[in-house]
Amino acid sequence: MDYYEFKKAWIYPESYIPYSMLRYVVRGSGIFIIDDKQYEVKENQVCYIPEGCRLSCYATGNELVFFSIRFTTTVRINDKDLLTDFYHLQPVLNDTDQIIQQRFAEIYSYAKGDSIAKLFRIRGNLELLIAWVVEQAHAHTECDGTSDGCCASAGSPQENVPEWTWDSSLEASCHRAKKTNRIKRDSRIKMVVDHLVANPSRPFDTKYFCEITGLSDSSLRRLFKEHTGKTPFDFMKELRMVTAARRLLVTNKRVSTIAYELGYNDQNYFARVFKSVFGISPDRYRKEARK
């Protein structure tokens, strides 16, 4: 669980997302690009980002402030994303009463606290959040399918499941199969990715990852590319640059310090790599973002 405050000119380059995310926009506006589809987001909106997608985003106003929760679903049916494929979850939802913002804030508070019951509090609030987004998606589907307006009268649970859930047409099946086949999931590679995301400053230790996954060097690299769409080198480069960009925005650390923390002993080389990802130097990135 994280709370981000980004100023104008913030950019998050396209990256593979190895987990699902829920984001709540507290202030400002921005663009989230999920698998080449662009969504405008603004204050009091919730965005669902499914596991295995490609994500990039940037601020469009003077700032973009949001909560972000990372999670994985334990239930998968035919390797499909449960919330998207079976509950038809909308990518962007409005929180008109700001009740959901309170849920995000509570999760963030417990995540940063030391309560003995924090894990249960976090999980309970997360399940309430997921229940809310599923209900919103269901209500939206009912309204779209009711010619006389919203909403249809309640029936049995199965009657209330959106029709597309049970759609066995060839077109629907091909669409779901294409989406599933695009994402090459491997629990061994997911473990590697999770480790790298949690430790961006550590190098990609091929020998260590081969030992814990039981894969050969060539198999590890091949499966990693299939799983993430990037080589280990490119994945680590982008991960470190995104981490560096966040530290440039939320801390006053010197560029050389941030570079060293992320494993770059040569500040000039770090600056060249940063510019190759964001298009501007670290110093200019910090300056432009804080205007």
Side-chain angles (χ1 to χ4, degrees):
M1 174 70 178
D2 289 298
Y3 180 77
Y4 297 99
E5 296 185 7
F6 294 113
K7 300 298 182 182
K8 187 176 182 180
W10 169 74
I11 298 174
Y12 181 91
E14 183 178 282
S15 298
Y16 168 82
I17 306 300
Y19 35 67
S20 299
M21 288 195 290
L22 282 173
R23 288 181 169 178
Y24 188 97
V25 181
V26 179
R27 292 193 307 277
S29 60
I31 298 293
F32 290 171
I33 303 172
I34 305 172
D35 284 338
D36 298 324
K37 292 185 178 180
Q38 182 171 297
Y39 302 95
E40 296 183 9
V41 296
K42 58 184 179 180
E43 187 172 331
N44 299 332
Q45 287 187 327
V46 177
C47 182
Y48 172 63
I49 301 166
E51 175 188 346
C53 73
R54 290 171 290 111
L55 171 70
S56 60
C57 40
Y58 57 90
T60 54
N62 291 326
E63 64 177 350
L64 179 60
V65 180
F66 59 88
F67 288 108
S68 184
I69 301 174
R70 301 183 295 271
F71 67 95
T72 57
T73 54
T74 56
V75 177
R76 302 196 72 87
I77 302 177
N78 295 330
D79 209 29
K80 296 178 175 63
D81 180 71
L82 182 69
L83 297 181
T84 299
D85 290 293
F86 289 89
Y87 287 103
H88 203 30
L89 196 64
Q90 302 298 306
V92 180
L93 297 165
N94 294 315
D95 176 23
T96 55
D97 298 323
Q98 294 186 304
I99 295 175
I100 298 306
Q101 180 179 356
Q102 297 176 21
R103 298 286 184 201
F104 276 87
E106 286 180 16
I107 291 175
Y108 181 75
S109 176
Y110 284 116
K112 300 302 179 183
D114 55 4
S115 169
I116 191 172
K118 64 184 295 184
L119 294 179
F120 299 101
R121 293 284 189 179
I122 291 171
R123 179 171 180 173
N125 275 288
L126 176 58
E127 290 184 347
L128 288 172
L129 281 178
I130 295 174
W132 179 82
V133 295
V134 167
E135 288 170 348
Q136 297 303 302
H138 190 190
H140 178 81
T141 304
E142 283 186 329
C143 292
D144 285 349
T146 306
S147 59
D148 296 330
C150 294
C151 280
S153 59
S156 68
Q158 182 163 333
E159 291 173 344
N160 282 332
V161 174
E163 290 183 2
W164 60 266
T165 301
W166 307 100
D167 188 353
S168 58
S169 68
L170 178 61
E171 181 180 356
S173 297
C174 288
H175 174 76
R176 290 193 292 268
K178 181 183 290 186
K179 181 174 181 180
T180 299
N181 290 337
R182 189 176 67 242
I183 303 171
K184 301 294 185 180
R185 294 185 177 89
D186 188 300
S187 59
R188 296 166 297 183
I189 303 303
K190 186 177 185 303
M191 176 173 60
V192 173
V193 170
D194 288 345
H195 177 85
L196 295 174
V197 170
N199 303 279
S201 62
R202 296 183 182 178
F204 187 90
D205 188 337
T206 304
K207 182 179 180 181
Y208 170 72
F209 288 129
C210 285
E211 289 177 353
I212 65 173
T213 60
L215 296 168
S216 66
D217 184 295
S218 59
S219 294
L220 175 65
R221 294 180 183 278
R222 175 178 58 79
L223 291 173
F224 191 93
K225 179 72 178 291
E226 290 180 358
H227 190 96
T228 66
K230 296 181 175 70
T231 65
F233 176 81
D234 289 337
F235 183 89
M236 289 303 302
K237 180 183 72 174
E238 292 189 5
L239 175 63
R240 286 174 175 173
M241 292 306 105
V242 169
T243 304
R246 181 166 184 263
R247 293 181 185 179
L248 286 167
L249 290 176
V250 302
T251 75
N252 292 316
K253 293 179 178 179
R254 296 168 61 90
V255 173
S256 58
T257 300
I258 294 174
Y260 181 76
E261 289 176 345
L262 292 172
Y264 294 89
N265 295 321
D266 185 337
Q267 182 181 338
N268 292 327
Y269 177 68
F270 167 78
R272 290 197 299 272
V273 175
F274 188 93
K275 188 173 183 178
S276 73
V277 174
F278 288 96
I280 56 177
S281 69
D283 286 318
R284 185 181 171 192
Y285 183 90
R286 172 177 272 168
K287 182 179 179 180
E288 291 290 330
R290 292 185 174 183
K291 280 184 178 180

